[in-house]
Amino acid sequence: MPGGGAQKPAINPWFVAVAVMIATFMEVMDTSIASVAVPYIAGSTASTNDQAEWVLTVYLVANAVFLPASGWLSEKFGRKNYLIASVGLFTAASFLCGIAPTLPFILVARALQGIGGGALQPLAQAILIESFPPQKQGQALGLYALGVVVAPVIGPALGGYLTDAVSWRWAFYINVPIGLLAMFLQSRALEDPPYIKNAKPGKLDGIGLGTLGLWVGCLQYILDKGQEDDWFGDTKIRIAFGVMIVTFILFVIREFTTEKPLVNLRSLRDRNLGLSCLLIFMLGIVLYAITTVLPVFYQTLLGYSATKSGLVVSPRGLGAMVSAILVGAVVAKIDPRWFVALGFAMLGASGMWLAGFTLDISFWSLFLPILVSGAAISMCFVPLGQLALGTLPKNEVGNGSGIFNFLRNVGGSVGISWMNTIAQRHQQTYRFSLLHSFTPANPLFQRELNAYTQMMAQHVGPRLAMLRAYGLIDRGLNNQAQIAAYVDDFRYLAFVAFCCAPLAFLLKRPKPGAAQAAG
């Protein structure tokens, strides 16, 4: 029977929602909050920025490996026990990250943090599905969308403030009280449904776990180091790609052929889950790409601090909050496919809107397109999860949720790498294109050069004045080439969003009473 009825917890289901969402919000926010601290971690541990970036990579790999496996682990150890243990491990590892004296120490702690964090998103989603009656699931799962969408927006601003005002270590210490509170609430609020208590998951699929870890690790390495090492021009990238392809094929074969797989890929035969996973993958590309590109633009080209750049993109969180609340309240009454299609269309429109920025914009110039992009993302998130899991049997919801959230995170990694590659390579292309006009034969160039030289000559000698004038022109050339590359970034993201909008109507609308979920 698809979906099944909602579980009726012994206590108020909203208390259950708060208990699971505190931990989920903490985990999602930590993914972005740590990125701000990377240069400071490098300084404190006497390492380079490239070495310190492994703090992000190690976490993402460990998190990605255990995220799709959360369904099996929940059945093996009990969902309540596994969730509380995961929050405890995440909290303890956060403390270890804060006290880390060396880079290897913090890398081990981040790996443990990723293992603990891998379960939080899919388990929160599955628990919310089963704790509320169908008519209230949209509202409750709008809360889940708030955590997943708003947390990455708040993360950079909070991380920048803590790093500037106190220390980068507090970007990790802040998780400790939140984690302890979440564990206490979960111990009081949660209970396992009968199908979890009576589950017989079998032995650990060691081959599945090993191949999953290898191909995900290689994929993350390729995405992190590809642009830096010239992609397939580098031998290590080619080797990693070969290992990824082989282990991915072995993983798929293993999971489809073994009786008790670690990740039940057979669930993807459900049309709604398979197509929704594709859409959430594309949404992850757009969500994390925008989160990455805008703060970097404000910091590198406009000179904003980490805190100020975080604040300028914060309207996206406001738009996401309002949209999640409104969509969650009415999604049970209106065909959710229309929300998904409209959300992607609005996301594409906001991308084209953002592509019109220049170096002359003010703090508030992009308020409206950033606000609209946040509203559009929640408009996709809330109903897309409902469509993905609403046609699954209830004993497959946890597994489906793990795959769904896993692909959103992988999409985020792909989006960040793709946008960074476009930003750097197109900047070089535009610089070369513009450079043809920067010659003494161009009277406009000669006029600007003379004006800058005369201005500098008031402070230094003639030769140094000319060198500084060339430096100012070169800086302006680089900035114009870079902003043109960022414009391309947003146009590509808009194209992706527009292409996804009509795909929403290939999904089947869940029958009334089926389990609803939010991305």
Side-chain angles (χ1 to χ4, degrees), residues 409-429:
N409 286 2
V410 172
S413 296
V414 172
I416 292 171
S417 180
W418 181 32
M419 290 300 102
N420 286 339
T421 299
I422 291 175
Q424 294 184 43
R425 299 205 169 192
H426 284 208
Q427 191 266 351
Q428 297 169 7
T429 302

Side-chain angles (χ1 to χ4, degrees), residues 283-356:
L283 186 62
I285 289 177
V286 178
L287 168 62
Y288 285 95
I290 293 177
T291 303
T292 302
V293 170
L294 276 177
V296 172
F297 161 72
Y298 278 105
Q299 291 179 49
T300 57
L301 295 185
L302 300 186
Y304 285 23
S305 66
T307 304
K308 190 176 181 181
S309 65
L311 290 174
V312 80
V313 299
S314 60
R316 192 154 65 100
L318 176 62
M321 290 173 62
V322 174
S323 177
I325 294 170
L326 295 178
V327 174
V330 301
V331 71
K333 304 173 185 178
I334 302 175
D335 188 343
R337 296 174 298 179
W338 283 102
F339 283 112
V340 176
L342 180 60
F344 274 114
M346 289 174 57
L347 200 54
S350 68
M352 294 303 296
W353 198 348
L354 287 168

Side-chain angles (χ1 to χ4, degrees), residues 72 200-205 255 258-262 266:
W72 184 91
K200 297 178 181 179
K203 295 181 180 180
L204 174 66
D205 181 12
E255 300 309 287
T258 188
E259 184 180 355
K260 297 288 185 179
L262 181 72
R266 300 180 186 92

Side-chain angles (χ1 to χ4, degrees), residues 298-476:
Y298 278 105
Q299 291 179 49
T300 57
L301 295 185
L302 300 186
Y304 285 23
S305 66
T307 304
K308 190 176 181 181
S309 65
L311 290 174
V312 80
V313 299
S314 60
R316 192 154 65 100
L318 176 62
M321 290 173 62
V322 174
S323 177
I325 294 170
L326 295 178
V327 174
V330 301
V331 71
K333 304 173 185 178
I334 302 175
D335 188 343
R337 296 174 298 179
W338 283 102
F339 283 112
V340 176
L342 180 60
F344 274 114
M346 289 174 57
L347 200 54
S350 68
M352 294 303 296
W353 198 348
L354 287 168
F357 60 12
T358 69
L359 293 175
D360 299 321
I361 62 173
S362 69
F363 184 92
W364 296 103
S365 295
L366 299 183
F367 177 85
L368 284 179
I370 292 173
L371 185 74
V372 171
S373 70
I377 288 170
S378 281
M379 193 172 290
C380 295
F381 258 78
V382 177
L384 192 55
Q386 171 188 351
L387 292 162
L389 307 180
T391 55
L392 291 178
K394 66 179 180 180
N395 61 336
E396 294 185 18
V397 168
N399 176 75
S401 177
I403 299 173
F404 185 79
N405 285 281
F406 168 74
L407 286 174
R408 189 194 72 240
N409 286 2
V410 172
S413 296
V414 172
I416 292 171
S417 180
W418 181 32
M419 290 300 102
N420 286 339
T421 299
I422 291 175
Q424 294 184 43
R425 299 205 169 192
H426 284 208
Q427 191 266 351
Q428 297 169 7
T429 302
Y430 282 119
R431 176 183 166 81
F432 181 77
S433 176
L434 293 171
L435 200 58
H436 293 296
S437 301
F438 287 68
T439 65
N442 186 335
L444 293 178
F445 169 78
Q446 196 63 48
R447 185 181 66 187
E448 292 299 317
L449 177 63
N450 291 337
Y452 281 131
T453 303
Q454 292 175 11
M455 182 174 62
M456 292 294 105
Q458 299 175 14
H459 308 284
V460 295
R463 185 174 181 279
L464 190 55
M466 179 169 289
L467 290 176
R468 290 188 176 182
Y470 274 116
L472 288 173
I473 293 175
D474 182 65
R475 180 181 177 183

Side-chain angles (χ1 to χ4, degrees), residues 257-278:
T257 56
T258 188
E259 184 180 355
K260 297 288 185 179
L262 181 72
V263 183
N264 187 5
L265 298 180
R266 300 180 186 92
S267 297
L268 292 172
R269 293 171 179 170
D270 181 273
R271 187 175 79 183
N272 268 26
L273 178 62
L275 187 55
S276 294
C277 284
L278 171 63

Side-chain angles (χ1 to χ4, degrees), residues 178-259:
I178 300 174
L180 293 175
L181 174 62
M183 292 173 66
F184 172 76
L185 294 178
Q186 289 167 7
S187 67
R188 297 300 182 93
L190 302 184
E191 58 182 28
D192 287 340
Y195 78 88
I196 291 286
K197 295 178 180 178
N198 301 327
K200 297 178 181 179
K203 295 181 180 180
L204 174 66
D205 181 12
I207 296 176
L209 181 62
T211 52
L212 174 64
L214 281 172
W215 79 259
V216 169
C218 290
L219 174 63
Q220 193 63 52
Y221 174 79
I222 292 169
L223 295 175
D224 283 355
K225 300 298 180 181
Q227 172 58 25
E228 178 184 328
D229 296 338
D230 194 28
W231 292 101
F232 294 104
D234 181 70
T235 302
K236 291 181 291 184
I237 295 291
R238 295 197 297 270
I239 293 173
F241 181 77
V243 173
M244 182 193 73
I245 294 297
V246 171
T247 52
F248 175 75
I249 294 173
L250 292 175
F251 170 75
V252 171
I253 293 173
R254 172 69 179 180
E255 300 309 287
F256 270 116
T257 56
T258 188
E259 184 180 355

